[in-house]
């Protein structure tokens, strides 16, 4: 008999709408267009770190109880994850086929064919040089696939009996998550004078795109779900945590280059992301605002929007369609709207039907 599903957390889905849009703006806008929100857009890469933590939290919210009781069917869980993620992932690779000649020129013959082999297997992220091979945003799926393999054992960890136990292990994971960035900032192995979002280096690539530096964020999200169970859904505490999360993140981002890029890229903001998640998982004014149905509607397609936006943008702007229709004067805002619409179409015409078909075929 299936365990009853936990209540929906619509506010977190609504926030995914803005996190995904922020990644689009990060890649295809000038942050200065957004006025006071320019620091948020300029640090749009942090939306990926947030998505990784939120992934761990949502999975634990739905499955950790069964995992702790030894009732989680690992194989069925992995099949379910595969059917949810791989169809759109495969679509993203098919849409990016025109980038392969460029990849061939950019790599040695051996590395090119290694990328061709590893990318469909969700393994490209383990090789820094190939992490963004073929389809740029897809490196995150390489990391997520690894995290999903580990999830049943992480989620099965016994819950602490007291609040300080929860806070203690979250603090430990935060400290571990800071180590990669702190080591990079201290030793500066790539010899870059001022590291920022435009910098490139072999070690920086490893820090940004390989799975291990991001594992702590995922584990933090999983363990955060245990703390979430101990806090009443209603009350001012949840609202305060949510507001603290938003205000704290913004306060850090406005510091700009004064905060080392290697530290902020993933680990530094874990506690503030955690406050934000806990706040929006409650019932309060903030969660009601982000549960606004249009936000949730777009947020449900955030995976499709994130994974396809790079390729969709390139296809749209290489096609010459907008100039041909006399619509270029409305760009880039029209392009953003088209990306959102295509993300929603992909959710309902590709992701959901393919997931249903694969689950029936695989018994997931």
């Amino acid at each position: 008999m299936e365990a009853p599903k936990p209540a929906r957390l619509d506010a977190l889905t609504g926030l995914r709408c803005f996190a995904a849009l922020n990644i689009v703006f990060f890649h295809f806008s000038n942050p200065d267009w957004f006025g006071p929100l320019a620091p948020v857009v300029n640090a749009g890469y942090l939306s990926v770190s947030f998505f990784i933590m939120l992934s761990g939290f949502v999975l634990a919210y739905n499955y950790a109880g069964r995992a702790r009781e030894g009732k989680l069917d690992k194989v069925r869980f992995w099949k379910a994850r595969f059917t949810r993620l791989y169809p759109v992932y495969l679509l993203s690779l098919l849409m990016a086929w025109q980038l392969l000649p460029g990849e061939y020129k950019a790599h040695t013959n051996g590395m090119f064919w290694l990328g061709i082999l590893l990318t469909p297997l969700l393994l490209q992220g383990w090789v820094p040089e190939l992490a963004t091979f073929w389809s740029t945003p897809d490196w995150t799926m390489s990391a997520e696939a690894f995290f999903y393999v580990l999830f049943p054992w992480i989620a099965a960890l016994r819950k602490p009996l007291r609040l300080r136990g929860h806070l203690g292990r979250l603090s430990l994971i935060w400290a571990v998550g800071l180590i990669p960035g702190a080591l990079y900032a201290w030793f500066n192995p790539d010899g870059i004078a001022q590291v920022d979002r435009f910098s490139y280096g072999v070690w920086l690539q490893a820090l940004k795109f390989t799975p291990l530096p991001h594992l702590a964020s995922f584990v933090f999200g999983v363990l955060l779900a245990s703390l979430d169970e101990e806090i009443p859904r209603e009350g001012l505490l949840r609202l305060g945590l949510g507001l603290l999360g938003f205000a704290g993140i913004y306060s850090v981002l406005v510091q700009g280059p004064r905060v080392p890029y290697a530290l902020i890229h993933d680990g530094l903001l874990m506690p503030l992301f955690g406050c934000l998640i806990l706040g929006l998982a409650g019932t309060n004014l903030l969660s009601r605002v982000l549960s606004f149905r249009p936000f949730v509607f777009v947020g449900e397609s955030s995976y499709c929007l994130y994974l396809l936006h790079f390729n969709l943008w390139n296809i749209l702007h290489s096609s010459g369609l907008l100039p041909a229709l006399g619509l270029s004067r409305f760009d880039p805002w029209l392009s953003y709207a088209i990306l959102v619409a295509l993300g929603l179409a992909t959710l309902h015409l590709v992701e959901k039907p393919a997931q249903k078909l694969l689950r029936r075929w695989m018994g997931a």
Side-chain angles (χ1 to χ4, degrees), residues 186-257:
W186 181 265
F187 291 105
N188 191 13
D190 292 313
I192 303 171
Q194 179 65 48
V195 182
D196 59 24
R197 57 176 283 195
F198 301 106
S199 300
Y200 177 85
V202 174
W203 288 98
L204 187 60
Q205 289 290 101
L207 179 70
K208 291 167 62 173
F209 299 126
T210 59
L212 288 180
H214 298 281
L215 178 58
S217 286
F218 181 80
V219 175
F220 193 101
V222 174
L223 301 184
L224 187 70
S226 295
L227 176 59
D228 173 73
E229 295 175 15
E230 306 302 320
I231 304 175
R233 297 283 163 199
E234 300 181 354
L236 291 177
L237 177 58
R238 292 272 187 173
L239 176 61
L241 287 170
L243 293 174
L244 174 62
F246 274 120
I249 292 167
Y250 186 77
S251 298
V252 173
L253 295 185
V254 296
Q255 301 304 310

Side-chain angles (χ1 to χ4, degrees), residues 148-293:
Y148 294 158
V149 170
L150 298 181
F151 172 79
W153 289 280
I154 302 170
L157 294 173
R158 183 179 301 178
K159 285 176 56 177
L161 298 177
R162 295 181 176 84
L163 176 62
R164 65 182 182 184
H166 288 282
L167 297 179
R169 68 180 190 175
L170 287 171
S171 299
L172 176 61
I173 295 301
W174 181 37
V176 171
L178 287 171
I179 291 174
L183 289 175
Y184 186 92
W186 181 265
F187 291 105
N188 191 13
D190 292 313
I192 303 171
Q194 179 65 48
V195 182
D196 59 24
R197 57 176 283 195
F198 301 106
S199 300
Y200 177 85
V202 174
W203 288 98
L204 187 60
Q205 289 290 101
L207 179 70
K208 291 167 62 173
F209 299 126
T210 59
L212 288 180
H214 298 281
L215 178 58
S217 286
F218 181 80
V219 175
F220 193 101
V222 174
L223 301 184
L224 187 70
S226 295
L227 176 59
D228 173 73
E229 295 175 15
E230 306 302 320
I231 304 175
R233 297 283 163 199
E234 300 181 354
L236 291 177
L237 177 58
R238 292 272 187 173
L239 176 61
L241 287 170
L243 293 174
L244 174 62
F246 274 120
I249 292 167
Y250 186 77
S251 298
V252 173
L253 295 185
V254 296
Q255 301 304 310
R258 288 190 289 271
V259 182
Y261 175 83
L263 281 176
I264 200 174
H265 189 271
D266 194 57
L268 187 64
L269 297 182
M270 276 188 212
L272 294 173
F273 284 152
C275 289
L276 190 55
I277 290 171
L278 290 176
L280 295 181
T283 303
N284 52 65
L285 177 61
L286 191 59
S287 64
R288 284 195 289 273
V289 169
L290 282 165
S291 296
F292 184 47
R293 186 57 199 164

Side-chain angles (χ1 to χ4, degrees), residues 317-337:
H317 287 85
S318 64
S319 69
L321 180 62
L322 296 183
L325 296 176
L327 298 174
S328 295
R329 63 186 183 277
F330 300 114
D331 224 22
W333 310 103
L334 178 59
S335 293
Y336 299 149

Side-chain angles (χ1 to χ4, degrees), residues 9-288:
L9 299 176
D10 282 341
L12 290 174
T13 304
L15 185 58
R16 284 167 49 196
C17 161
F18 294 99
L21 286 174
N22 198 36
I23 294 172
V24 175
F25 298 151
F26 171 73
H27 283 139
F28 302 112
S29 81
N30 180 345
D32 292 340
W33 297 344
F34 297 87
L37 294 179
V40 179
V41 176
N42 192 52
Y45 53 85
L46 290 175
S47 289
V48 178
S49 300
F50 173 74
F51 276 134
I52 289 172
M53 181 184 293
L54 183 61
S55 172
F57 177 84
V58 171
L59 286 177
Y61 177 79
N62 285 283
Y63 294 105
R66 277 177 274 173
R68 289 193 295 265
E69 295 172 1
K71 297 179 180 178
L72 179 62
D73 185 330
K74 296 181 181 65
V75 174
R76 189 175 183 187
F77 168 79
W78 292 325
K79 287 180 179 179
R81 290 295 88 205
F82 176 84
T83 63
R84 163 75 171 79
L85 299 180
Y86 201 80
V88 178
Y89 178 79
L90 181 59
L91 176 61
S92 73
L93 297 183
L94 294 175
M95 290 176 59
W97 66 269
Q98 75 276 13
L99 299 179
L100 289 178
E103 296 285 10
Y104 185 79
K105 294 177 182 178
H107 297 89
T108 65
N109 194 53
M111 290 300 290
F112 173 80
W113 289 109
L114 183 62
I116 292 292
L117 173 65
L118 295 182
T119 302
L121 300 176
L122 295 158
L123 295 173
Q124 75 276 25
W126 292 96
V127 183
E129 185 181 339
L130 296 174
T132 57
F133 184 89
W134 196 336
S135 182
T136 300
D138 289 10
W139 70 267
T140 51
M141 295 302 101
S142 183
E144 288 281 3
F146 173 60
F147 303 156
Y148 294 158
V149 170
L150 298 181
F151 172 79
W153 289 280
I154 302 170
L157 294 173
R158 183 179 301 178
K159 285 176 56 177
L161 298 177
R162 295 181 176 84
L163 176 62
R164 65 182 182 184
H166 288 282
L167 297 179
R169 68 180 190 175
L170 287 171
S171 299
L172 176 61
I173 295 301
W174 181 37
V176 171
L178 287 171
I179 291 174
L183 289 175
Y184 186 92
W186 181 265
F187 291 105
N188 191 13
D190 292 313
I192 303 171
Q194 179 65 48
V195 182
D196 59 24
R197 57 176 283 195
F198 301 106
S199 300
Y200 177 85
V202 174
W203 288 98
L204 187 60
Q205 289 290 101
L207 179 70
K208 291 167 62 173
F209 299 126
T210 59
L212 288 180
H214 298 281
L215 178 58
S217 286
F218 181 80
V219 175
F220 193 101
V222 174
L223 301 184
L224 187 70
S226 295
L227 176 59
D228 173 73
E229 295 175 15
E230 306 302 320
I231 304 175
R233 297 283 163 199
E234 300 181 354
L236 291 177
L237 177 58
R238 292 272 187 173
L239 176 61
L241 287 170
L243 293 174
L244 174 62
F246 274 120
I249 292 167
Y250 186 77
S251 298
V252 173
L253 295 185
V254 296
Q255 301 304 310
R258 288 190 289 271
V259 182
Y261 175 83
L263 281 176
I264 200 174
H265 189 271
D266 194 57
L268 187 64
L269 297 182
M270 276 188 212
L272 294 173
F273 284 152
C275 289
L276 190 55
I277 290 171
L278 290 176
L280 295 181
T283 303
N284 52 65
L285 177 61
L286 191 59
S287 64
R288 284 195 289 273

